[in-house]
Amino acid sequence: MQTEAIGEPALASPAADEADRKATGRRWHAWTAAGLVALGGLIRLILIAWDWPETNSDEGYQGLQALHIAAGAERPTFFPGQAYMGPHEAYLGAALFHLFGNSLFSLRLGLVLMFVLFLVSSYWFARIVYGPRWALISLALLALGSPYVLSRELTAMGGYGETLLFSSLMFLIAARLVTTYEPYRVLREQRWRLALYAAWGVAAGTGLWADLLVAPFALASGLALLIHCRREFLQLVAPLAAGVGLAVGMLPLLVYNLNAPPGGDSISTLTVLRGEAPAGLSAKAHALWNAVTQSVPMMTGNPVCPVDELPALNPVTSWSSSCYWTRVSWGTGYMLLLGLGTLLAAWAVWQAWRRRGSDRSATLHLAMLVGGLITFYLYANSDAAVGYPGGHSRYLIGLVVALPAVFHPLVAVARPRFLRVAGVTILAAYTAALAFGTVRTFTEIPRTHADAKRSTALVDTLHAHGVKHFYGDYWTCARIAFRAEESITCGAVTDTLEIAPNNRYYEQWTATTADPKAAYVFSDNPCRSLPYYKCDKPTTFLEIANGTYRLPVVEAKLEKAGTPYQLVHIDGYVIYLIS
């Protein structure tokens, strides 16, 4: 019998060495993935902890709704004052208020949690479809972002965080179902698949209730399921499970619309808001050009030369020649990647079908690209791209969901070599741009933190003078009411002091008009206190006399009524206190 010499270590077999290497590789991969998810979450956590991005009254209304939910005073179906867009962020914020207190940070913390889940689901989808290496690259790209993209991910205005999360979840579930499908296996022997069909329906229904921006990805992932799992669909139990999940997910939306008055249903409301599609070839071409050269760069991470027609929301648009060509090259380059990637994926799927086979990963890849294309088409064919392509670019947030699919062809091309080198170079440049955009975002913290301090100072000033209600511009009203936790409320007015059309909680307007000592509070920034189309024009609404800001329209109204007042100016705001 052969024995080992005492004191001499046994030599590991080649198979054992290979197993050790694989185990080490898996551990390294897992830790890298976890680190990238943590990085994405930490970046956003630090930003909201330092009051970035600057808040606004749309977010203020979301915060007020969360306060009402936390107090048990409201169980809403939609965002305040609307017949569409679910209040998911308000419900999540209300739960976090109970844990961490009422604050803008707590409200936004829910968005960070949703984003982390989006990263996790995007990683697993990319790993199933493209493999572990591209899954890590996708995580790195999604963890970073430009100031505009990060602000959409971190501002609780409803719908955008949910679009990312539920769209990626639907595709992850679809990928799992498609890649594990066995055409000749009886479905009742794989009951876990029915649970996944139901989960896909819940994700689709909840996402559609949150925001119809989810619809292109619900359609595309559903088609991928139908194409590859069609035998299960013919058994009816699979579509029944998905349908039940869909109904459960969107139950509040269904209940509301079944009882909505004529013209008050969600579809009618969205039809009105969407506006008229561009009519005529010239108008369609103009909308398409705006969408490609302004909206797409904003929502896909261009860190320089932003576009926004609403100065109150920042940033300020630059129309220099260098910025113009930067946006044109970025937008057209991205759309070329999206279009060519779709054609290549369609060709791969077609070739597989011609061989009487199927390439499941290629179909899932194509479906994700189709979701992005539908998102772009619906946007470019709407009124949104005509007048305000910068401000409305947020409606293209679905392009963030499709990002791993859009850039994958850059590294999937094996030959010729120059194409692979070019692809890797483009990917590296895009990653560098996102990294630059992330760093640039942190440089904005002093400005937004100073704005938060001004808002706190305003609340303290109003409290010190016993103010319970005030009239103000829309961009001041709700955000101050939320910061004051509704100890002070506001009625939004126009620059002629008439009631503004967007008082989302009308009872606050009623309370303000009933208070004879309601103050007048306006920002000393014309781009906040005036309609966006007036803020960059000469105005008599806001004047400076002897170094002091004055509002002649307010003074004229008060003097005409014989109402005594005291003018107070603090950093950022003009206040008229009623004696």
Side-chain angles (χ1 to χ4, degrees):
M1 181 175 66
Q2 185 178 4
T3 60
E4 295 178 0
I6 297 175
E8 293 183 6
L11 294 175
S13 67
D17 287 341
E18 180 65 20
D20 286 342
R21 282 195 296 271
K22 288 183 177 180
T24 301
R26 285 193 296 269
R27 285 194 296 270
W28 177 87
H29 182 96
W31 279 108
T32 304
L36 288 170
V37 171
L39 174 65
L42 184 62
I43 287 171
R44 288 153 181 82
L45 195 63
I46 294 172
L47 289 171
I48 65 171
W50 285 94
D51 303 303
W52 193 96
E54 186 176 322
T55 188
N56 58 60
S57 279
D58 286 343
E59 187 173 38
Y61 276 115
Q62 189 84 268
L64 292 173
Q65 189 174 65
L67 289 175
H68 298 167
I69 295 170
E74 189 179 353
R75 290 294 180 266
T77 301
F78 300 113
F79 185 84
Q82 297 182 171
Y84 69 100
M85 203 162 69
H88 300 60
E89 293 170 18
Y91 277 106
L92 187 53
L96 293 170
F97 286 173
H98 287 297
L99 294 175
F100 304 108
N102 304 336
S103 68
L104 182 60
F105 174 82
S106 298
L107 180 67
R108 289 174 168 177
L109 184 58
L111 294 174
V112 176
L113 295 175
M114 281 195 283
F115 183 80
V116 168
L117 291 175
F118 161 66
L119 285 182
V120 172
S121 56
S122 295
Y123 164 78
W124 281 108
F125 170 80
R127 179 162 182 155
I128 290 172
V129 176
Y130 307 113
R133 182 176 299 177
W134 185 251
L136 289 181
I137 295 173
S138 298
L139 270 184
L141 295 176
L142 294 171
L144 303 172
S146 66
Y148 184 80
V149 172
L150 288 167
S151 69
R152 296 286 70 78
E153 294 169 352
L154 295 176
T155 305
M157 294 168 59
Y160 305 114
E162 295 92 321
T163 297
L164 295 176
L165 174 58
F166 291 112
S167 297
S168 61
L169 273 178
M170 283 186 291
F171 263 94
L172 172 59
I173 296 169
R176 176 65 175 164
L177 285 167
V178 167
T179 56
T180 58
Y181 173 63
E182 299 177 50
Y184 299 104
R185 186 84 176 266
V186 179
L187 190 55
R188 64 174 176 269
E189 296 177 1
Q190 297 178 296
R191 294 183 179 178
W192 60 269
R193 293 182 64 82
L194 290 179
L196 282 183
Y197 278 114
W200 180 90
V202 171
T206 309
L208 291 170
W209 173 29
D211 201 315
L212 284 179
L213 296 176
V214 170
F217 296 94
L219 176 63
S221 60
L223 285 174
L225 285 174
L226 182 60
I227 290 171
H228 277 285
C229 307
R230 55 191 178 279
R231 289 182 180 271
E232 289 181 341
F233 274 76
L234 291 175
Q235 296 178 43
L236 298 182
V237 66
L240 179 62
V244 169
L246 183 68
V248 169
M250 62 192 309
L251 185 61
L253 180 65
L254 293 173
V255 170
Y256 170 82
N257 281 284
L258 288 173
N259 298 282
D265 60 281
S266 300
I267 298 299
S268 298
T269 303
L270 285 168
T271 301
V272 172
L273 290 173
R274 188 173 185 270
E276 295 292 332
L281 183 61
S282 176
K284 289 181 182 295
H286 176 65
L288 179 63
W289 182 251
N290 282 352
V292 171
T293 62
Q294 296 182 48
S295 306
V296 168
M298 287 284 282
M299 204 62 251
T300 56
N302 179 11
V304 295
C305 303
V307 179
D308 204 328
E309 301 82 10
L310 300 176
L313 297 180
N314 288 317
V316 178
T317 302
S318 171
W319 294 108
S320 66
S321 176
S322 60
C323 276
Y324 173 81
W325 287 110
T326 296
R327 289 191 289 262
V328 168
S329 57
W330 184 291
T332 53
Y334 185 92
M335 292 308 298
L336 281 173
L337 281 177
L338 178 58
L340 290 175
T342 304
L343 291 175
L344 290 173
W347 177 254
V349 171
W350 171 248
Q351 289 292 92
W353 279 93
R354 284 187 63 188
R355 294 191 299 268
R356 297 187 180 277
S358 65
D359 188 335
R360 302 183 186 190
S361 293
T363 302
L364 289 164
H365 172 62
L366 175 61
M368 180 65 86
L369 292 171
V370 167
L373 276 176
I374 295 174
T375 297
F376 176 79
Y377 170 79
L378 292 174
Y379 176 81
N381 197 44
S382 73
D383 184 58
V386 177
Y388 316 112
H392 288 154
S393 57
R394 62 189 185 274
Y395 299 131
L396 288 174
I397 196 165
L399 296 182
V400 178
V401 180
L403 186 147
V406 172
F407 284 90
H408 180 257
L410 292 177
V411 297
V413 177
R415 53 170 114 42
R417 187 172 183 275
F418 79 90
L419 279 181
R420 184 170 180 82
V421 171
V424 172
T425 302
I426 293 171
L427 181 62
Y430 183 70
T431 306
L434 292 180
F436 173 75
T438 304
V439 172
R440 184 176 182 180
T441 301
F442 279 87
T443 67
E444 296 181 1
I445 285 179
R447 175 180 60 80
T448 58
H449 188 58
D451 180 76
K453 292 175 68 175
R454 285 193 294 269
S455 297
T456 300
L458 174 59
V459 171
D460 292 341
T461 300
L462 296 177
H463 277 150
H465 288 89
V467 174
K468 301 294 184 184
H469 309 94
F470 69 92
Y471 297 98
D473 56 89
Y474 176 80
W475 296 113
T476 297
C477 258
R479 71 194 194 111
I480 297 302
F482 173 55
R483 189 169 289 273
E485 297 183 33
E486 282 196 301
S487 59
I488 302 170
T489 59
C490 174
V493 294
T494 66
D495 56 328
T496 59
L497 304 186
E498 301 294 329
I499 180 173
N502 43 10
N503 278 277
R504 299 182 184 273
Y505 281 117
Y506 193 78
E507 57 270 25
Q508 294 191 359
W509 170 263
T510 303
T512 302
T513 57
D515 183 358
K517 292 197 173 184
Y520 288 81
V521 179
F522 289 86
S523 170
D524 61 13
N525 179 355
C527 289
R528 283 187 173 173
S529 56
L530 288 171
Y532 64 90
Y533 54 85
K534 294 183 180 180
C535 78
D536 59 349
K537 298 178 175 62
T539 177
T540 59
F541 178 76
L542 185 68
E543 295 182 353
I544 302 178
N546 299 321
T548 302
Y549 286 94
R550 296 174 54 252
L551 300 171
V553 65
V554 174
E555 293 179 5
K557 180 176 180 177
L558 295 176
E559 290 168 1
K560 182 178 180 180
T563 304
Y565 63 85
Q566 176 188 357
L567 174 60
V568 176
H569 182 255
I570 64 172
D571 186 18
Y573 296 96
V574 182
I575 308 170
Y576 284 86
L577 301 170
I578 306 304
S579 304

